[in-house]
Amino acid sequence: MPSLMVNSLSKNESDRNPEDIKRSLDDVVHKLEQTSDSSESWSDSVSANRESWCELKEKIRERQRALKQLVMEKKAGLVGPDEFNNRYRKIQDELTELEFRVYNMRLGTKIQK
């Protein structure tokens, strides 16, 4: 399967014109659409990068468990509101970063938040 690369849409690419940015966004949206091509692409990406996918899935599971544990600690009164908010925000940021890695692997892109 041919690999389609979408240019990164990072903030520090001020030299790109609006048409290039629109084309990049259109490519990403097209890849995210639920079509048979996107399903096949997903399958190809997973099989080609099995070890990376397994590692990412495990990291996501770990962060989800940490989030669940944090909520249980708060409900039990073991964690104060400030500590809860700080830790919660940190875990959510880590999960967001992992999700970006999943999408970038899936789409063959280098999109950053």
Side-chain angles (χ1 to χ4, degrees):
M1 178 182 144
S3 173
L4 297 174
M5 293 299 289
V6 175
N7 292 328
S8 173
L9 299 175
S10 65
K11 296 175 187 171
N12 40 344
E13 289 189 13
S14 59
D15 59 331
R16 293 184 60 199
N17 67 45
E19 292 83 25
D20 289 341
I21 294 170
K22 183 180 181 330
R23 268 193 301 280
S24 291
L25 286 172
D26 287 344
D27 287 345
V28 170
V29 169
H30 176 72
K31 287 181 178 184
L32 288 171
E33 289 176 345
Q34 294 300 316
T35 65
S36 60
D37 287 345
S38 67
S39 296
E40 184 178 314
S41 171
W42 178 264
S43 177
D44 291 345
S45 180
V46 170
S47 3
N49 301 296
R50 174 87 42 208
E51 189 174 313
S52 296
W53 282 112
C54 290
E55 181 183 316
L56 266 175
K57 281 174 35 178
E58 183 56 34
K59 286 180 180 181
I60 290 170
R61 273 191 223 110
E62 287 172 10
R63 299 323 302 147
Q64 289 171 335
R65 282 193 297 266
L67 198 55
K68 184 177 180 178
Q69 180 64 35
L70 178 61
V71 169
M72 290 189 322
E73 289 174 6
K74 182 181 182 213
K75 286 182 179 180
L78 302 173
V79 176
D82 290 338
E83 182 181 353
F84 173 82
N85 288 334
N86 289 335
R87 288 173 55 192
Y88 180 84
R89 212 171 298 119
K90 182 177 185 262
I91 294 169
Q92 283 295 92
D93 288 346
E94 291 169 351
L95 278 167
T96 299
E97 179 61 36
L98 291 169
E99 289 172 2
F100 266 93
R101 287 178 57 195
V102 166
Y103 282 118
N104 282 327
M105 283 181 68
R106 155 69 174 90
L107 299 172
T109 61
K110 294 180 181 172
I111 298 171
Q112 301 172 353
K113 65 176 183 167

